[in-house]
Amino acid sequence: MVTLTASYEELTESSAVALAIRLGLIEESSHLTCTEIGDGNLNYVFHIFDHNRKKGLIIKQALPYAKVVGESWPLTLDRARIESAALIKQSEYAPHLVPVVYYSDTALAVTAMEDLSHLEIVRKGLIAGKHYPHLSHHVGEFLGKTLFYTSDFATNPKIKKQFVKQFTNPDLCDITEKLVFTDPFFDSDTNDFEEELREDAKALWADLELQAKAAELKRIFLTSAETLVHGDLHTGSIFANESETKIIDPEFAFYGPFGFDIGHFIANLLLNALSHENEQEQQPLFDHVVNVWATFKEVFTKAWKKDSIEAFSVSNSFLETTFDRILKEATGFAGCELVRRTIGLAHAADLDAIPSPSRRLQQKKAALALGKTFIKQYLAVETASDLVALFQQSVKE
Ligand code: SR1
Ligand code: MG
């Protein structure tokens, strides 16, 4: 693999192509096009396509600031190192569910990876009413394998502590600590919502029972270095089609709680369910909620029985209490994600794109109500079906 020692400079479409050629990832003589396709909040994503060989390549570059806010919000370039290291680690356990990394360069904050343009971003597809029949099975498998094998259940605890160091990600965790676990629960400048939601937001800020539970969940996020989590597993971090799924963008990866990614994935499925009118359209999303948990449990249990290095793993009740705690925490995290995607800085397009203003507001109120319920009742949840039942209740109210 060619190594570059360039210092940081923002790539352009032409310098991204030049880099790909220098690295030998694409042929100079070919008919090449390059388009910046990044629609996330933080990075440039260049799609380079060799029209002669019908071969594509992605070059992703971290910017030294958050694109969604502008240069006034500086952001570490180290996230590019974390992202490529996480993709490589995840590919040890679930190679078919993540893009292949061809090259990474920490100085340029660049990762060159597999072109996934034959797939689509799941959030966009779900908003358009598409179905991904294997989505929850694949995400459940990804989580069951990566979360189990990077934890103390399968990685020698001394080596795991080295991984904890390698994946220490203070700046990106700080974003989550603020934007997911703090700001939406107070009248903060970063919050962003329609004036018509102010009374609901005020009620949330004044709800002491809710605040106490949100504080517990934030503490769990801050202190539970259990496993290598993806850290931002919403439906915009997943590419899929009818048969294939790839989980991308683990720049927020760090050693965190088992339930974090599961909670975020479920919250984003339910945000999409809120954007659809009737139960028939919502049912596949409810099925995904139940199935991602069932698959996660199944894959994790199989790995636990086969590969656990933890002496106490002989106990079935230890496995059951572990799952019980993960599901409860996932529920609380899902609640925080529902709240922050509604009144926080970074919204979910699923709700923002509802065309009728009155329905949009109604569904945002329902998202807030559901988020509050999940946070307040997270310790009472026992099955993934409970989450669907809470959704149905809170939408009726
Ligand atoms: C300033 S970044 C805002 C959000 O975008 C990312 O995808 C994360 O979800 C983050 O919270
Ligand atoms: Mg992202």
Side-chain angles (χ1 to χ4, degrees):
M1 192 182 269
V2 183
T3 311
L4 298 178
T5 47
S7 56
Y8 186 81
E9 62 182 68
E10 270 183 36
L11 291 176
T12 60
E13 290 177 348
S14 63
S15 63
V17 172
L19 173 65
I21 292 170
R22 268 202 324 275
L23 292 169
L25 295 172
I26 216 107
E27 295 258 343
E28 185 167 17
S29 55
S30 252
H31 170 203
L32 302 175
T33 53
C34 178
T35 322
E36 202 283 305
I37 54 165
D39 64 354
N41 292 325
L42 304 176
N43 308 294
Y44 279 151
V45 180
F46 297 97
H47 176 230
I48 302 174
F49 196 73
D50 176 338
H51 292 263
N52 292 341
R53 292 172 182 77
K54 306 274 175 271
K55 193 179 149 228
L57 173 73
I58 291 294
I59 296 210
K60 179 169 176 178
Q61 184 181 41
L63 292 167
Y65 53 87
K67 202 167 79 177
V68 65
V69 178
E71 294 191 27
S72 61
W73 188 331
L75 205 51
T76 177
L77 296 175
D78 191 46
R79 66 190 195 273
R81 174 189 68 81
I82 297 266
E83 173 164 348
S84 59
L87 285 172
I88 290 166
K89 192 93 204 101
Q90 291 159 347
S91 75
E92 286 177 31
Y93 309 113
H96 53 302
L97 296 171
V98 291
V100 179
V101 172
Y102 301 128
Y103 172 80
S104 54
D105 181 311
T106 49
L108 264 183
V110 149
T111 308
M113 62 188 121
E114 185 182 358
D115 177 19
L116 301 174
S117 54
H118 62 295
L119 307 176
E120 57 207 357
I121 290 285
V122 166
R123 191 187 300 284
K124 286 189 186 158
L126 292 178
I127 291 173
K130 291 199 178 154
H131 297 298
Y132 300 100
H134 301 289
L135 178 68
S136 45
H137 185 78
H138 289 159
V139 173
E141 179 189 346
F142 170 81
L143 293 174
K145 287 182 173 162
T146 61
L147 301 187
F148 176 80
Y149 283 103
T150 59
S151 77
D152 291 294
F153 291 126
T155 298
N156 175 295
K158 282 190 182 167
I159 296 172
K160 181 239 172 177
K161 287 176 185 70
Q162 288 169 10
F163 289 137
V164 173
K165 258 201 253 171
Q166 183 191 357
F167 287 101
T168 293
N169 197 354
D171 289 23
L172 284 270
C173 284
D174 179 59
I175 291 180
T176 307
E177 287 149 23
K178 287 197 171 89
L179 297 187
V180 180
F181 289 109
T182 311
D183 293 358
F185 298 95
F186 299 91
D187 187 2
S188 315
D189 289 346
T190 56
N191 289 336
D192 177 20
F193 53 84
E194 294 87 339
E195 218 24 60
E196 293 89 329
L197 287 177
R198 184 159 295 278
E199 287 311 311
D200 299 76
K202 276 183 165 170
L204 192 141
W205 300 331
D207 188 332
L208 297 183
E209 186 196 343
L210 180 83
Q211 300 251 325
K213 293 289 178 201
E216 279 173 27
L217 290 158
K218 179 178 177 184
R219 186 114 315 252
I220 295 167
F221 179 82
L222 283 163
T223 59
S224 303
E226 293 186 304
T227 188
L228 182 64
V229 299
H230 176 284
D232 196 25
L233 191 53
H234 55 81
T235 47
S237 298
I238 307 172
F239 268 111
N241 65 13
E242 286 267 303
S243 56
E244 215 185 321
T245 307
K246 299 275 183 185
I247 289 124
I248 61 164
D249 261 6
E251 65 196 315
F252 283 76
F254 78 111
Y255 264 78
F258 277 116
F260 188 69
D261 292 337
I262 302 166
H264 273 218
F265 179 63
I266 288 176
N268 281 273
L269 291 172
L270 295 178
L271 283 165
N272 186 264
L274 282 168
S275 76
H276 294 292
E277 297 266 0
N278 57 53
E279 194 149 334
Q280 214 182 336
E281 293 168 313
Q282 294 173 336
Q283 193 56 49
L285 297 151
F286 299 153
D287 293 344
H288 281 320
V289 169
V290 172
N291 191 46
V292 72
W293 176 248
T295 308
F296 166 75
K297 269 181 84 172
E298 189 187 318
V299 170
F300 193 100
T301 301
K302 202 166 156 199
W304 169 293
K305 300 226 181 275
K306 184 168 156 280
D307 290 324
S308 182
I309 57 168
E310 166 56 62
F312 288 103
S313 289
V314 289
S315 153
N316 277 340
S317 75
F318 181 33
L319 180 60
E320 284 316 309
T321 54
T322 299
F323 283 139
D324 185 56
R325 180 178 60 78
I326 296 174
L327 181 63
K328 287 177 164 53
E329 292 179 4
T331 303
F333 296 140
C336 296
E337 174 73 352
L338 286 162
V339 169
R340 78 90 172 219
R341 292 287 182 196
T342 311
I343 57 168
L345 175 83
H347 285 196
D350 312 57
L351 296 184
D352 280 344
I354 297 174
S356 149
S358 59
R359 190 161 176 276
R360 186 164 64 240
L361 277 175
Q362 187 193 343
Q363 297 310 84
K364 288 192 175 192
K365 284 171 189 259
L368 280 182
L370 183 62
K372 278 166 73 166
T373 303
F374 277 4
I375 294 169
K376 285 184 178 177
Q377 297 188 26
Y378 83 94
L379 290 174
V381 162
E382 287 182 352
T383 68
S385 305
D386 291 350
L387 302 180
V388 175
L390 289 172
F391 177 101
Q392 282 158 335
Q393 267 169 33
S394 112
V395 167
K396 272 188 208 123
E397 275 161 14

